[in-house]
Amino acid sequence: MYKLEQVKYDDQVILTTEQLAEFYETNVDNIKQNFSRNQNKFVEGKHYYLLKGTQLKEFKSQVTNCYLPINKFASQLYLWTKRGASRHAKMLGTDRAWDVYDELEENYFNLKTQQRLPQSPTEMLKLVVDSTLETAGKVKALSNRMDEFEQNALLDSGEYNRLATEINAEVNYYISSHHLELNQKQRSQLYKDINRGIHEVTGVSTRTQLRKKDWDIVHKYLRQWSPSAATLVMIDTLSDEAKGQERLF
């Protein structure tokens, strides 16, 4: 009997005076008289809400509230909270009132799992917006995970071959721009140098471990690459060794 759909005002579950009178098996005037005689025991916002004017009009217009027992000509409306309903049960003092209040407390006021429908066009809009934002958040999170997965993927064969071509181009450009004549061992020192730098800036041990997210930093490095002093000394040393070998023959 008391499996009612929760109605809220100001985020509190409420009942109308007509509902209290019906549930407690008394009349509306009796509820009103009890309140009038003991008004100092009730606190507005805690035990009840008094709606007038625009607030009353908006409350009456709410979708769920159109089924509440509300006098459409009333200029004001009292809404009773759980505490307010309890005060009225005490004032009536009948077994019926207390039995009904216990049922209301268990099946209406404290029904945590009961879903509350939107109470107004504004709440409906908020529900739609919240749902949209939640969906957008999930899509964004999924997109971020997909991006992360893609960025952590290893370079494909085409990208790997392209990188090898660019490394060759950088080494050849350095040799030609410095008018160097190098043997194979000397050239290999330049490749070791450039590859060592790639490993350092990306944190990988071999080029085959490069990921798509490393692409930009590798290209930035290649544009600024020049052999280290140690590499240049090694190249000179190898040049001397080659000349020495030539003199031995």
Side-chain angles (χ1 to χ4, degrees):
M1 177 179 180
Y2 300 108
K3 296 285 184 180
L4 305 173
E5 179 183 318
Q6 283 183 334
V7 177
K8 289 187 176 181
Y9 182 81
D10 194 28
D11 205 33
Q12 290 227 48
V13 184
I14 54 86
L15 290 171
T16 65
T17 301
E18 287 77 6
Q19 285 177 309
L20 279 183
E22 179 182 355
F23 295 152
Y24 290 165
E25 291 189 353
T26 185
N27 55 62
V28 171
D29 288 339
N30 200 9
I31 297 292
K32 290 180 178 179
Q33 288 175 6
N34 283 342
F35 174 64
S36 178
R37 292 169 182 168
N38 300 277
Q39 194 164 354
N40 63 321
K41 297 179 181 178
F42 290 85
V43 177
E44 187 170 1
K46 180 178 179 180
H47 299 100
Y48 71 95
Y49 293 96
L50 176 58
L51 306 187
K52 299 179 182 179
T54 303
Q55 288 181 318
L56 177 57
K57 184 178 181 181
E58 289 179 353
F59 183 79
K60 286 181 178 180
S61 67
Q62 291 173 8
V63 176
T64 309
N65 298 341
C66 63
Y67 300 105
L68 291 176
I70 301 174
N71 183 348
K72 63 180 181 179
F73 300 110
S75 60
Q76 63 180 29
L77 177 68
Y78 282 92
L79 302 175
W80 306 100
T81 66
K82 175 183 175 181
R83 292 182 175 182
S86 174
R87 289 286 168 95
H88 280 290
K90 290 179 182 178
M91 291 174 186
L92 290 170
T94 63
D95 291 340
R96 172 62 183 173
W98 279 116
D99 289 343
V100 170
Y101 177 77
D102 287 342
E103 280 197 63
L104 287 172
E105 183 178 37
E106 180 179 354
N107 298 312
Y108 182 67
F109 288 113
N110 291 338
L111 195 56
K112 303 292 185 183
T113 58
Q114 191 174 43
Q115 295 296 318
R116 176 174 173 265
L117 296 176
Q119 300 287 297
S120 68
T122 300
E123 290 190 0
M124 288 181 182
L125 179 60
K126 184 178 183 301
L127 183 63
V128 171
V129 171
D130 289 345
S131 178
T132 302
L133 290 176
E134 181 181 0
T135 301
K138 291 179 180 177
V139 171
K140 183 177 180 181
L142 178 60
S143 177
N144 289 340
R145 287 196 295 271
M146 291 294 290
D147 289 343
E148 183 179 358
F149 176 79
E150 182 178 354
Q151 289 300 307
N152 281 309
L154 296 176
L155 297 182
D156 58 41
S157 59
E159 292 168 326
Y160 188 81
N161 291 335
R162 178 181 164 191
L163 179 59
T165 300
E166 293 186 15
I167 290 173
N168 286 333
E170 290 296 330
V171 171
N172 289 329
Y173 175 76
Y174 182 84
I175 292 173
S176 63
S177 64
H178 288 78
H179 309 289
L180 301 176
E181 293 183 8
L182 304 179
N183 59 37
Q184 188 60 40
K185 287 185 177 181
Q186 290 171 315
R187 294 175 71 91
S188 69
Q189 291 300 317
L190 292 177
Y191 283 103
K192 288 180 180 179
D193 185 281
I194 200 169
N195 281 314
R196 184 164 53 247
I198 291 174
H199 301 162
E200 288 177 359
V201 299
T202 59
V204 300
S205 57
T206 64
R207 264 200 274 162
T208 55
Q209 295 176 336
L210 288 173
R211 297 153 294 182
K212 293 184 183 293
K213 68 179 182 180
D214 298 322
W215 188 259
D216 290 339
I217 193 170
V218 169
H219 280 274
K220 182 178 180 181
Y221 164 72
L222 291 178
R223 288 194 299 270
Q224 301 178 32
W225 172 78
S226 62
S228 67
T231 297
L232 294 177
V233 169
M234 286 293 297
I235 290 174
D236 285 340
T237 301
L238 290 170
S239 177
D240 291 339
E241 289 178 359
K243 291 178 181 178
Q245 289 175 358
E246 288 175 359
R247 287 194 295 269
L248 290 174
F249 290 95

